[in-house]
Every structure is written in structure tokens, then in C-alpha cells.
């Protein structure tokens, strides 16, 4: 499973821990919206993944 | 047996086959038309909502936007509301929240549904993926 994390702010420790947990059994992609405003790339990543988690 | 009786028996099976086919297509083709749900709970991400919605539409997908809490403030933002004119965009909001934060109902464009959390539930049911802003 491919999981996309969209980070709206600098991630807190709990978010990094969740990402690390998900990485154990899934492919995890991270889009740092707080510093990257490439919406075309973001849309493509959303399209390509199976699940989206926004923090 | 009459033709009508045969049709009556076959119809549920055909319907079931159609549903299964639809599920298979949805699960196997990631590039089929996607419905992206955007749950807007604050007014802090106006530009991100516009940018993402436009990018998703450009890729041929659809967007469902639901405004609640402070996010209802964006339901009267002219650039956000203008997205409603684009093909593939639907919008609704929590009318209770709208009233609580002091936005007059007449300020909401008439084709934006002033609904309830039921519309949020509908969005979650209909959307393939949901993002919270």
C-alpha cells in the first residue's frame, strides 16, 4: 500500500513516529505543503497513492 | 415462462455484476476519475485549497468541498466560491457552524448547500480520498 502524508506544518514528533510505523509495512510518501507549493505534483501524488493522511 | 419473468430473475444478477465491475475498476485503475474530498475546518489554507483544487481538476478529476467551523469563512471568499463555477466541483457547508460564526445565510451563494454534518458524511462516502485543511 502506498500512503501519502501531507504535512501542513513542521511535523511534531508524533507524526514522525506514525510515519516510521507506517513505513514498516507500506510505502510512505511525504509532501511538505508548508514549504512546497507545487500543487500539480501534490495532485499527482494524491492520484498515485492509496491513502492520504493530512497533518 | 414469459420473457418478463426471465428479466425479473436476471435483473438483480446483472445489477450485482455491474456493481462488482464498478468496484473492480475503482480498485484497479488509479487513473480513472477520482473524487477528492476536501474538508475545510479552518480559514488558514485558502491558497492551498484553490491551488490543489485547480491542479486536481486539471488532471480530470472531481472535487467535493465541505466547510465547517472556521472553515465556513472561506465559503464567502470570492476566489474559493469561484471554484464552484468549474465543472466537477461541488460545495456544501455546516449551516449550524455558519450561523455560530456570524455569517449571514444570504451571503452564501445559492448553489452552495447549507446543510449539516450529513453532507460531510456524504462527502466521505463519495470521495475516493479526503484531505483535511
Amino acid at each position: 500500500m502506498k500512503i501519502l502524508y501531507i504535512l501542513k506544518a513542521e511535523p511534531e514528533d508524533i507524526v514522525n513516529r506514525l510515519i516510521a510505523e507506517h513505513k514498516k509495512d507500506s510505502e510512505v510518501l511525504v509532501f511538505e505543503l508548508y514549504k512546497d507549493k507545487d500543487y500539480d505534483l501534490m495532485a499527482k501524488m494524491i492520484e498515485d497513492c492509496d491513502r492520504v493522511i493530512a497533518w | 415462462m414469459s420473457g418478463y419473468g426471465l428479466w425479473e430473475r436476471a435483473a438483480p444478477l446483472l445489477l450485482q455484476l455491474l456493481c462488482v465491475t464498478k468496484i473492480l475498476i475503482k480498485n484497479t485503475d488509479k487513473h480513472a476519475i477520482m473524487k477528492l474530498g476536501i474538508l475545510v475546518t479552518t480559514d488558514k489554507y485558502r491558497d492551498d485549497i484553490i491551488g490543489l483544487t485547480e491542479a486536481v481538476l486539471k488532471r480530470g478529476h472531481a472535487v467535493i468541498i465541505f466547510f465547517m467551523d472556521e472553515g465556513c469563512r472561506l465559503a464567502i471568499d470570492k476566489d474559493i466560491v469561484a471554484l464552484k463555477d468549474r465543472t466537477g466541483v461541488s460545495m456544501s457547508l455546516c449551516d449550524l457552524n455558519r450561523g455560530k460564526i456570524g455569517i449571514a445565510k444570504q451571503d452564501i451563494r445559492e448553489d452552495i448547500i447549507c446543510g449539516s454534518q450529513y453532507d460531510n458524511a456524504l462527502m466521505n462516502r463519495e470521495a475516493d480520498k479526503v484531505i483535511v485543511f
Side-chain angles (χ1 to χ4, degrees):
Chain A
M1 180 186 284
K2 211 184 257 190
I3 301 172
L4 172 64
Y5 272 82
I6 294 172
L7 305 180
K8 295 176 282 183
E10 193 96 38
E12 294 168 14
D13 186 47
I14 181 75
V15 180
N16 288 323
R17 279 162 54 197
L18 282 168
I19 291 172
E21 275 304 307
H22 266 137
K23 276 184 177 172
K24 289 178 183 171
D25 56 8
S26 302
E27 184 183 346
V28 176
L29 304 170
V30 178
F31 187 88
E32 295 170 318
L33 183 60
Y34 61 97
K35 53 183 180 187
D36 185 357
K37 301 294 179 185
D38 185 346
Y39 300 113
D40 289 324
L41 175 63
M42 187 181 173
K44 187 181 181 328
M45 289 171 84
I46 291 169
E47 184 183 278
D48 288 343
C49 73
D50 300 297
R51 289 181 63 192
V52 183
I53 299 171
W55 279 91
Chain B
M1 183 190 302
S2 72
Y4 180 70
L6 184 67
W7 171 245
E8 267 188 334
R9 287 182 188 188
L13 287 172
L14 286 171
L15 192 64
Q16 206 171 6
L17 185 66
L18 192 69
C19 289
V20 169
T21 309
K22 196 178 163 191
I23 289 166
L24 283 174
I25 289 169
K26 192 175 174 179
N27 288 343
T28 55
D29 186 1
K30 287 178 184 171
H31 301 289
I33 290 177
M34 171 183 77
K35 279 186 187 169
L36 178 68
I38 300 181
L39 174 60
V40 185
T41 63
T42 75
D43 57 358
K44 296 178 191 166
Y45 300 99
R46 173 191 175 277
D47 293 345
D48 294 321
I49 293 164
I50 294 170
L52 178 62
T53 300
E54 285 177 346
V56 167
L57 292 176
K58 211 159 56 180
R59 299 185 71 80
H61 302 304
V63 178
I64 308 168
I65 302 176
F66 180 78
F67 304 95
M68 61 176 283
D69 292 339
E70 291 294 319
C72 288
R73 297 194 191 286
L74 294 182
I76 51 170
D77 179 285
K78 68 177 175 53
D79 293 326
I80 291 276
V81 172
L83 293 169
K84 184 72 181 64
D85 295 325
R86 307 281 297 274
T87 305
V89 177
S90 61
M91 291 183 185
S92 59
L93 59 82
C94 175
D95 203 43
L96 182 73
N97 292 162
R98 175 204 56 75
K100 278 194 174 174
I101 62 174
I103 296 172
K105 197 161 189 170
Q106 59 265 32
D107 291 340
I108 304 291
R109 210 170 97 164
E110 61 184 18
D111 56 353
I112 297 176
I113 298 166
C114 291
S116 66
Q117 288 299 326
Y118 176 69
D119 296 281
N120 185 10
L122 285 180
M123 177 185 74
N124 276 275
R125 191 183 68 180
E126 286 176 22
D128 299 296
K129 289 153 193 166
V130 176
I131 295 181
V132 183
F133 279 111

